[in-house]
Amino acid sequence: EDSKKDQLMKKQPCPCSNPDDCHPISSSVSNASKNSTSTSFHPIRASGEVYGFEGLLNETGQHYNWTHISTVAWAVNDELMCRAHFHGARAIVAPPSFQLELISEMDDPDRAAYIQTWVRSTLAMVQTRHRDGVVFDYENPMPRNSPIGRAYVQLIDATRRAFRSSSSVPLQVTTCVAWS
């Protein structure tokens, strides 16, 4: 089982034509410093985040206006990740599935252990795939102060803390707010 775990933790080979495009993007690092041969780069915008979203068509980003986009969400396509990084934008993915109803029913020690294991696995997935973070997008109704809501906050907070301290470039955690 340890060999399976070790294989999961190893970075996948860089799928980009320029290996520099597999490094995480930070707000203080632009492609100018990563890729001196690039004439088309844009650092993370000081005016704030502008998100692009990969659709269901397995987008590669070739038609995106990269002068505005600072982050592409649901960037499962390696080519899109490479293109985003080339243009100085982050590429984030959805985290592995989680069952908030189940997590919310666990007692505190079991919930904490589950979340810690889930966060480690999620961090490993993001790092091995050369991504810049995750976007949480829980669509179900979530009443204020509900056990499910508290479990969601605990999961996101634990992820944020781990991603912020994971490397010299903090990884991004984005949350779409429930509509309820």
Side-chain angles (χ1 to χ4, degrees), residues 2 29 39-40 43-44 52 56 62 68 93 114 124 137 143 153 155 165 178:
D2 282 342
V29 176
T39 58
S40 174
I44 299 300
L56 300 175
Q62 63 193 31
H68 300 291
V93 293
Y114 175 89
D137 189 20
V153 167
L155 187 66
S165 64

Side-chain angles (χ1 to χ4, degrees), residues 10 14-16 35 40 69 81 93 107 113 127 158 165 169-170 172:
K10 287 184 181 177
C14 177
C16 305
N35 183 0
S40 174
I69 295 173
M81 179 273 299
V93 293
D107 62 20
Q127 290 175 326
S165 64
V169 177
Q172 180 169 330

Side-chain angles (χ1 to χ4, degrees), residues 33-120:
S33 61
K34 290 189 337 174
N35 183 0
S36 60
T37 62
S38 171
T39 58
S40 174
F41 70 89
H42 305 283
I44 299 300
R45 286 64 181 166
S47 61
E49 295 282 348
V50 177
Y51 283 79
F53 296 90
E54 178 180 5
L56 300 175
L57 302 176
N58 203 19
E59 292 285 332
T60 61
Q62 63 193 31
H63 302 294
Y64 290 4
N65 182 344
W66 292 104
T67 60
H68 300 291
I69 295 173
S70 58
T71 301
V72 176
W74 298 294
V76 296
N77 180 304
D78 284 341
E79 188 176 342
L80 177 58
M81 179 273 299
C82 296
R83 192 171 310 239
H85 285 178
F86 175 80
H87 289 285
R90 294 181 184 105
I92 60 177
V93 293
S97 65
F98 51 88
Q99 297 293 323
L100 280 180
E101 293 80 9
L102 178 66
I103 298 169
S104 70
E105 294 171 0
M106 294 177 178
D107 62 20
D108 288 340
D110 288 343
R111 181 183 313 123
Y114 175 89
I115 288 174
Q116 184 178 29
T117 300
W118 185 90
V119 167
R120 274 197 307 267

Side-chain angles (χ1 to χ4, degrees), residues 128-171:
T128 61
R129 296 184 62 213
H130 310 283
R131 297 314 194 264
D132 301 287
V134 294
V135 56
F136 286 89
D137 189 20
Y138 187 76
E139 296 286 341
N140 295 342
M142 192 177 299
R144 178 181 231 158
N145 295 320
S146 67
I148 290 174
R150 286 191 297 276
Y152 194 44
V153 167
Q154 288 173 338
L155 187 66
I156 292 168
D157 184 54
T159 304
R160 182 193 54 79
R161 283 186 278 112
F163 278 38
R164 291 281 181 223
S165 64
S166 66
S167 67
S168 60
V169 177
L171 298 170

